[in-house]
Amino acid sequence: MELLAPAGNVQKLFYAFTFGADAAYIGIKNFSLRMKADNFSGDDYEAVHALKAQFPDKKIYCALNSIFHDAELAAFRREIDYFRRYPIDAFIVQDMGVVPILQKAFPAAALHLSTQASCVNSEAVKLYRQLGFTRIVLGREISLDEITAIKDAVPDMELEAFAHGAMCIAYAGRCLMSAYLTGRSAQEGECAHTCRWNFSVKGNPKALAESGALVLEEAARAGEFFPLYETDGATALLSSKDLCMIDHLADMQASGVDAIKIEGRMKSIYYVALVTQAYRKALDAVSGTISFAEAAPFVAELDNVAHRESTTGFYYGRAAANTPTSGASDSPYLLAGTVDRRLSAAALEAVVRLGEKTMAARAAAFRMLSPEAQISRRAIMAAHPEKTPRPVTARDGWELFEYTPLNKICITQDIEFIVPGRGVQCAAGGTWELIDPDTGTLSSWVSAGHRCLLYTAHDIPFGTIVRCAAGGTTSGRIRNGRRDTAV
């Protein structure tokens, strides 16, 4: 099965490919259902072409899956030349009005039917095949048995199904709740995720709501009850559990699924990297490339990504999808940064020389101070040794890397490298150093926005991400609040 990962921007596209996706889906400008994602614009197409050259066997699918009013179709026509700049292998669409436009403007690109089209039967699949579609992204309300029936009826049609990520309480995600409460339409890419909000029951019946005895009953459906629970002052009535099928990929393959999809174009690179790698290894185990025991540590990393309670959705029946949830489990880690280009031995020598020059200049400046000022400076340095610059010392077996910090780390703490294809590599304090590239001196800490080099004996290829303990989290605990720092 093909593994399809989300890519909300160029950086996420790189990590999707680096951590094992066969294909990635992107949105260009404001024509997909994730307008709040960064999306691709400007000269991003140049970076995308470079990634296609770096990963020649990978595919890129463009999500063009919103609904189009006539004005929006006209806007898309004006942007066609810009879309042509991207190496798009397929378009994911739900609005049939855009199909003839795509077929004329992009004859080499395949057409994939979006899950928003709610295709869940073989007759519909046959119709879409006649319209020129080569793949159906099945509606999420389908079961594995129904997928098998569709594949048997239309064996030449590729079937794609979601395997992991957020679900929507509305049928195929076609929800008007966001538009009703906020004026932002989910069908035009601006969903406010109002189903995840926490609602409080105001007035006197608070105790009743907390007891679980409060239920909804629709007038024409007497005896059918929807229970309302309130805990910690709020309840999420319509928030569905997350889908997780990582333990059932063999069943998905046996049913006739050709591609599995990970939800999350608005998620972080940490999410994209770890979830993609977990499913890559799980698929490799199903195919026999590696053992299930070898895949297990990668699969276990799913617990280290922020998530809600999980479910198998509708694949084995409706019961698993019928229970809403609230809150989420925090990741016990923060994304500390990304390891970028490995630098040459000559670059290291230049950094060492720069550090020596910096220290010599500081020594000369110190000698220019008055005796009283020197005494004061020595006292300050003795009281705060961490603020005293130290030059880089060349170490055997250590290598230098460009490093992009995204959260604060200190050299005294332990960090972990998430290495593509190899998993977690622990790095205790003292086995790595941070260097200020402007002075060639060691830094005791670094945070987002700082320029930095990473110096270490650990073998970490380009594409490695770095994480550190988040603190203040309880592994496996589902929280109802929100944590300020997202990963």
Side-chain angles (χ1 to χ4, degrees):
M1 290 187 291
E2 178 185 88
L3 176 58
L4 178 58
N9 57 32
V10 171
Q11 187 183 36
K12 294 173 187 178
L13 180 62
F14 166 76
Y15 285 102
F17 286 162
T18 298
F19 280 83
D22 299 305
Y25 58 105
I26 70 173
I28 296 178
K29 293 194 173 180
N30 294 322
F31 293 97
S32 73
L33 289 182
R34 289 294 181 268
M35 284 190 181
K36 294 298 180 180
D38 293 343
N39 289 323
F40 291 69
S41 60
D43 59 0
D44 284 345
Y45 57 88
E46 295 177 354
V48 174
H49 275 283
L51 285 175
K52 283 282 279 188
Q54 183 180 351
F55 300 96
D57 297 329
K58 310 287 188 178
K59 294 184 178 180
I60 294 175
Y61 305 146
C62 178
L64 202 67
N65 52 349
S66 62
I67 58 172
F68 288 82
H69 297 274
D70 279 335
E72 289 153 351
L73 277 178
F76 175 65
R77 286 190 176 96
R78 291 194 295 270
E79 294 285 356
I80 283 178
D81 285 343
Y82 179 75
F83 275 70
R84 285 196 178 105
R85 298 177 180 180
Y86 287 84
I88 297 170
D89 295 291
F91 286 94
I92 306 170
V93 300
Q94 71 155 317
D95 192 323
M96 293 300 101
V98 78
V99 169
I101 300 174
L102 292 175
Q103 289 174 323
K104 181 179 180 180
F106 303 91
L111 287 177
H112 294 178
L113 184 74
S114 170
T115 189
Q116 300 292 125
S118 308
C119 184
V120 292
N121 66 74
S122 57
E123 293 304 318
V125 171
K126 293 175 184 176
L127 176 61
Y128 287 119
R129 180 180 59 182
Q130 294 173 11
L131 293 175
F133 286 85
T134 60
R135 177 181 293 189
I136 303 296
V137 187
L138 295 162
R140 301 198 198 190
E141 299 76 16
I142 201 167
S143 70
L144 292 180
D145 287 342
E146 291 173 312
I147 294 175
T148 299
I150 290 174
K151 194 66 174 180
D152 288 343
V154 198
D156 57 337
M157 178 64 80
E158 292 182 359
L159 301 181
E160 179 181 308
F162 278 89
H164 192 90
M167 296 271 282
C168 183
I169 203 72
Y171 192 89
R174 294 184 297 181
C175 177
L176 295 177
M177 187 175 180
S178 174
Y180 178 73
L181 293 179
T182 70
R184 291 165 48 183
S185 173
Q187 291 307 293
E188 296 180 9
E190 295 185 304
C191 182
H193 303 286
T194 49
C195 60
R196 311 292 186 196
W197 293 2
N198 288 323
F199 296 91
S200 297
V201 178
K202 298 300 182 182
N204 295 325
K206 185 174 184 297
L208 181 61
E210 291 176 344
S211 72
L214 191 64
V215 297
L216 292 178
E217 181 182 28
E218 202 275 326
R221 294 168 176 79
E224 295 184 16
F225 302 113
F226 188 92
L228 303 181
Y229 295 93
E230 181 171 334
T231 58
D232 298 327
T235 182
L237 304 180
L238 304 172
S239 178
S240 58
K241 295 181 179 180
D242 282 356
L243 179 66
C244 182
M245 288 291 288
I246 200 159
D247 294 327
H248 309 280
L249 298 181
D251 288 351
M252 295 188 76
Q253 186 176 53
S255 73
V257 172
D258 298 287
I260 60 168
K261 190 171 194 173
I262 299 169
E263 180 275 339
R265 274 192 292 137
M266 294 177 65
K267 301 290 179 65
S268 69
I269 62 172
Y270 180 80
Y271 174 94
V272 171
L274 263 69
V275 175
T276 299
Q277 184 162 248
Y279 276 84
R280 173 75 278 146
K281 295 299 183 178
L283 283 173
D284 290 346
V286 169
S287 67
T289 305
I290 63 175
S291 68
F292 285 96
E294 290 173 305
F298 299 92
V299 173
E301 284 296 319
L302 291 179
D303 289 334
N304 291 324
V305 178
H307 59 279
R308 300 181 184 89
E309 292 179 283
S310 63
T311 175
T312 54
F314 293 86
Y315 288 126
Y316 296 100
R318 297 179 178 275
N322 280 346
T323 305
T325 188
S326 62
S329 174
D330 283 325
S331 169
Y333 296 97
L334 291 178
L335 175 61
T338 61
V339 177
D340 303 323
R341 190 165 54 97
R342 187 190 305 260
L343 299 179
S344 65
L348 174 59
E349 291 177 7
V351 169
V352 171
R353 288 195 301 271
L354 177 60
E356 293 171 347
K357 182 179 179 181
T358 298
M359 296 305 294
R362 287 183 61 86
F366 182 82
R367 290 192 296 270
M368 296 295 293
L369 297 175
S370 67
E372 293 81 5
Q374 289 184 6
I375 292 172
S376 176
R377 179 63 59 85
R378 287 193 183 97
I380 293 173
M381 293 167 61
H384 300 283
E386 75 281 358
K387 294 183 179 180
T388 302
R390 292 179 296 131
V392 179
T393 301
R395 299 171 180 261
D396 291 339
W398 285 47
E399 292 189 277
L400 191 64
F401 301 86
E402 290 180 346
Y403 176 70
T404 302
L406 299 172
N407 273 298
K408 183 178 180 180
I409 55 173
C410 300
I411 58 171
T412 55
Q413 72 186 104
D414 298 341
I415 59 175
E416 293 182 352
F417 298 120
I418 312 298
V419 182
R422 301 209 309 258
V424 179
Q425 189 171 321
C426 298
T431 65
W432 54 279
E433 293 177 337
L434 300 169
I435 301 173
D436 182 342
D438 296 322
T439 64
T441 60
L442 298 175
S443 300
S444 59
W445 63 276
V446 70
S447 191
H450 293 184
R451 296 185 68 232
C452 185
L453 300 175
L454 179 68
Y455 192 38
T456 182
H458 293 274
D459 179 20
I460 45 175
F462 179 43
T464 295
I465 62 176
V466 182
R467 71 184 181 189
C468 59
T473 65
T474 302
S475 180
R477 180 178 66 86
I478 302 297
R479 56 158 172 81
N480 284 317
R482 300 181 67 182
R483 195 174 74 190
D484 292 336
T485 304
V487 294

